[in-house]
Amino acid sequence: MTFHLHKIAVDCRDWHPLVEFWTAASDFAEIPNDPNNPDDEIGGLMDPSTGVQLLFIPVPEPKTIKNRIHFDVQPVDGTRDQEVERLQSLGATIVDDRRNADGTGWVVMGDPEGNEFCVERSASERVS
C-alpha cells in the first residue's frame, strides 16, 4: 500500500499575498473548480501537471521559528542565481546564502510571510 501527495497545508496570517506570490513564482494556479475569492477563509493553488494542491490556512499564532518542513525548488529556465533575483523581485527575501565559490550550494529564502524554501541549482547547472 502507498499514497500520493494530494495537498500541502501552509499556516499563515493572510492567504492573499501568499497565493499571489506562489502563483507568480511557480506553475501553480488556482484550483479550477474552487477559485480564490477575496472573502474565502483559505486560499488554494494547484500544480496543473500533478494535481498537488497548496492550501494557505490563516492561523492566529505567528511564525516564530524555522519551518520543520520546507520546499526545495529548482529553476526550470535560467540559473539558480537568476531565480533568486526573480524571486526577490516578487517579494521573497534571502534568509541564508549557502552558495559556494565553486558554484554548488543553495539559497534559503523566505516567502512574503517568512516561510522558508530553498533555491537549488538548475538541472543544467548540475550537469556542467
Side-chain angles (χ1 to χ4, degrees), residues 21-68:
F21 173 80
W22 287 103
T23 297
S26 70
D27 58 353
F28 279 72
E30 284 197 333
I31 300 166
N33 61 350
D34 190 14
N36 295 305
N37 296 304
D39 57 344
D40 288 346
E41 290 184 32
I42 67 172
L45 297 172
M46 184 177 80
D47 180 331
S49 63
T50 66
V52 172
Q53 296 178 10
L54 293 177
L55 300 181
F56 299 97
I57 304 171
V59 297
E61 64 277 355
K63 179 184 177 297
T64 57
I65 58 172
K66 183 182 181 294
N67 297 13
R68 295 294 300 245

Side-chain angles (χ1 to χ4, degrees), residues 2-93:
T2 63
F3 67 85
H4 71 273
L5 191 58
H6 184 232
K7 295 178 183 171
I8 301 167
V10 178
D11 289 350
C12 62
R13 287 186 304 270
D14 180 5
W15 64 262
H16 300 89
L18 294 182
V19 163
E20 187 176 308
F21 173 80
W22 287 103
T23 297
S26 70
D27 58 353
F28 279 72
E30 284 197 333
I31 300 166
N33 61 350
D34 190 14
N36 295 305
N37 296 304
D39 57 344
D40 288 346
E41 290 184 32
I42 67 172
L45 297 172
M46 184 177 80
D47 180 331
S49 63
T50 66
V52 172
Q53 296 178 10
L54 293 177
L55 300 181
F56 299 97
I57 304 171
V59 297
E61 64 277 355
K63 179 184 177 297
T64 57
I65 58 172
K66 183 182 181 294
N67 297 13
R68 295 294 300 245
I69 189 170
H70 66 268
F71 304 126
D72 285 351
V73 301
Q74 190 178 73
V76 174
D77 302 315
T79 67
R80 174 200 55 214
D81 296 345
Q82 290 169 328
E83 186 66 6
V84 167
E85 287 181 23
R86 184 181 79 86
L87 293 168
Q88 284 181 296
S89 75
L90 296 174
T93 56

Side-chain angles (χ1 to χ4, degrees), residues 97-110:
D97 194 333
R98 305 298 298 265
R99 291 177 276 197
N100 300 311
D102 67 358
T104 61
W106 63 94
V107 179
V108 181
M109 300 192 80

